Amino acid sequence: MDNEEPTTPEQGNPFTSVPIEIMVSVGHARPLIKDLVGLGENAVLTLDKRVEDPVELYVGGTLVARGQLEEMNGDQAGQLAVRLTEITDLQSGLG
């Protein structure tokens, strides 16, 4: 009989250590083309959301979570982060 420790699914699956890109959507804008081509440096493009509104997290175009934007403190002061408030069913959504 082997004396091996049981492996977890994460240990047995090499794909769990592959990094993925998560896109965070903070809002949308719908300018007219004439307004878009007229934008220059320091122009402001107004989004359809407020700072305190939830943001959406996407992997490969699929919504995977929602959360709130936060600013980090300490050594990472000024860095943006997202506190997750809702996670979709990743088993059926990405598989």
Side-chain angles (χ1 to χ4, degrees), residues 6-22:
T7 60
T8 64
E10 290 80 20
Q11 291 172 327
N13 186 343
F15 293 108
T16 58
S17 62
V18 175
I20 61 169
E21 184 170 310
I22 298 176

Side-chain angles (χ1 to χ4, degrees), residues 37-83:
V37 297
L39 293 176
E41 190 173 331
N42 294 318
V44 175
L45 186 61
T46 304
L47 302 177
D48 63 348
K49 295 207 177 177
R50 300 174 53 86
V51 171
E52 62 271 5
D53 287 344
V55 295
E56 297 175 332
L57 288 78
Y58 292 90
V59 172
T62 300
L63 178 67
V64 296
R66 288 187 178 85
Q68 292 293 138
L69 284 180
E70 293 188 1
E71 185 176 344
M72 300 295 290
N73 297 317
D75 292 345
Q76 297 175 319
Q79 178 106 20
L80 281 177
V82 177
R83 180 175 303 277

